[in-house]
Amino acid sequence: MNTKFSKALLMHGKDYPLTEYITLHHPTIDEILNIDETASPDNTYLQYVQIILSDPYTNMVMLDDMGKNYLEVTPFEVFLLQWDACVQSYNANKELYDTCQIHPLQTILNALQFFINEQHYFLKGKYDDNQVCLYDVENPSCQITQEIFEFICEWVKSINKFDYSNRINPADENARRVLIEDMREEQKKAKRRKKKKDDNQDYIGNLMSAVSFCGNGSITPFNIRKCKIYWLNEALSISGKKSNADHILDGMYHGTISSKDVNKKELDWMK
């Protein structure tokens, strides 16, 4: 199944009608920064992104602790694991959650809703063959199966221009075990660093600043609020490629770089 969205569609910035009941939403910076009233709504957005991606690779340690091989688990299965954990947490602390008038599942529902135009309230259900899906309580015909979720996942990955091409692909079981233990150790170090100092990278803020002040001038602080998130990611990416190509050509012109040593793909900055 091909879930790839074309660059032309992403550059257009329009929303994508996935099913009769679900239209995938391409948010603007303004919408991202109006997610909530906190001092860091961009962090909430990134949390929503990670919930939807439900990436087995980044969750390999958690899955290993559960006796699962991350190479054999789909993002939809990871998403459902998060869903079930929230339901279990609520059932175990129902009185406290009800007193506070919150439900741990709400963040997951909010993440889904943010990238879907239509208003839905999903519940988890099963078909007769035990395959799991999410369905809208008001319209059970509106469903998110594993296939539909893969499209939603790919949409979020595409508009944020995430690239997983440099990930390690273990050659055998021993390599997989080493990778998991390395990831486990890295997570422990990251947790210790976070205790010492807030490790907030201000990813979206840095992206906005770089594109506004070091770009080609088409995106500025005065119009950036209306820009789609893909535009910012693409602007930064293509600006870096063009700068690299310009430096290579300059080196070739002045004789400091030999043309035979140049990867021609680096000169085609449009791709």
Side-chain angles (χ1 to χ4, degrees):
M1 179 182 62
N2 182 17
T3 58
K4 183 175 176 60
F5 295 96
S6 74
K7 186 173 181 178
L9 175 68
L10 299 172
M11 279 300 300
H12 186 282
K14 70 176 182 178
D15 297 337
Y16 179 75
L18 180 59
T19 71
E20 181 180 356
Y21 307 106
I22 295 176
T23 303
L24 300 180
H25 180 54
H26 190 165
T28 63
I29 294 301
D30 207 27
E31 290 170 326
I32 290 172
L33 295 181
N34 280 296
I35 283 180
D36 55 37
E37 298 300 321
T38 66
S40 302
D42 46 324
N43 288 344
T44 302
Y45 173 76
L46 293 176
Q47 181 185 18
Y48 286 178
V49 168
Q50 295 307 318
I51 288 173
I52 298 300
L53 293 183
S54 293
D55 184 19
Y57 187 94
T58 57
N59 287 284
M60 66 171 69
V61 173
M62 177 195 75
L63 293 170
D64 187 63
D65 291 341
M66 300 172 69
K68 298 178 182 293
N69 183 342
Y70 80 94
L71 294 172
E72 300 172 352
V73 178
T74 67
F76 188 51
E77 290 171 322
V78 175
F79 180 82
L80 293 176
L81 286 172
Q82 295 183 82
W83 184 291
D84 292 342
C86 289
V87 173
Q88 291 169 9
S89 178
Y90 174 76
N91 291 334
N93 304 278
K94 186 175 186 302
E95 185 176 347
L96 177 60
Y97 280 123
D98 289 346
T99 300
C100 298
Q101 296 185 322
I102 58 175
H103 196 297
L105 191 59
Q106 192 59 52
T107 301
I108 291 180
L109 293 171
N110 289 345
L112 263 179
Q113 188 59 65
F114 186 75
F115 294 104
I116 295 176
N117 272 345
E118 299 81 5
Q119 292 294 316
H120 299 295
Y121 186 86
F122 291 103
L123 290 180
K124 182 181 172 184
K126 284 185 177 181
Y127 293 109
D128 292 338
D129 60 1
N130 283 328
Q131 289 191 23
V132 179
C133 76
L134 305 179
Y135 66 93
D136 185 357
V137 292
E138 299 293 334
N139 179 15
S141 296
C142 175
Q143 300 178 358
I144 297 179
T145 61
Q146 175 156 318
E147 183 179 25
I148 295 299
F149 187 81
E150 287 177 5
F151 276 100
I152 298 173
C153 185
E154 184 61 30
W155 176 258
V156 174
K157 187 191 305 181
S158 297
I159 62 176
N160 289 284
K161 208 172 170 60
F162 289 155
D163 181 11
Y164 297 156
S165 60
N166 291 327
R167 283 185 168 177
I168 299 172
N169 295 311
D172 53 32
E173 178 59 18
N174 288 333
R176 187 183 74 87
R177 293 303 319 168
V178 170
L179 178 61
I180 291 173
E181 294 311 313
D182 286 347
M183 180 72 80
R184 191 187 302 276
E185 185 60 30
E186 181 58 34
Q187 289 180 358
K188 289 179 181 178
K189 291 179 181 179
K191 190 175 292 185
R192 288 196 293 269
R193 287 197 301 269
K194 195 167 186 179
K195 287 181 179 179
K196 295 178 182 178
K197 183 180 179 180
D198 186 6
D199 202 24
N200 180 8
Q201 297 297 314
D202 265 333
Y203 172 75
I204 293 181
N206 289 337
L207 183 62
M208 294 169 66
S209 177
V211 171
S212 295
F213 301 120
C214 294
N216 61 14
S218 59
I219 297 178
T220 72
F222 307 105
N223 63 18
I224 198 168
R225 292 174 53 188
K226 301 305 178 184
C227 286
K228 300 289 185 173
I229 185 64
Y230 178 82
W231 299 349
L232 267 66
N233 285 293
E234 177 64 9
L236 186 62
S237 173
I238 203 165
S239 175
K241 290 178 182 178
K242 186 176 185 303
S243 176
N244 180 60
D246 289 343
H247 281 87
I248 292 173
L249 290 172
D250 186 64
M252 291 171 60
Y253 178 79
H254 289 92
T256 57
I257 298 177
S258 172
S259 59
K260 64 183 180 181
D261 296 329
V262 173
N263 183 346
K264 298 301 187 292
K265 291 182 178 180
E266 291 188 79
L267 299 178
D268 191 2
W269 53 266
M270 289 181 61
K271 293 182 179 179

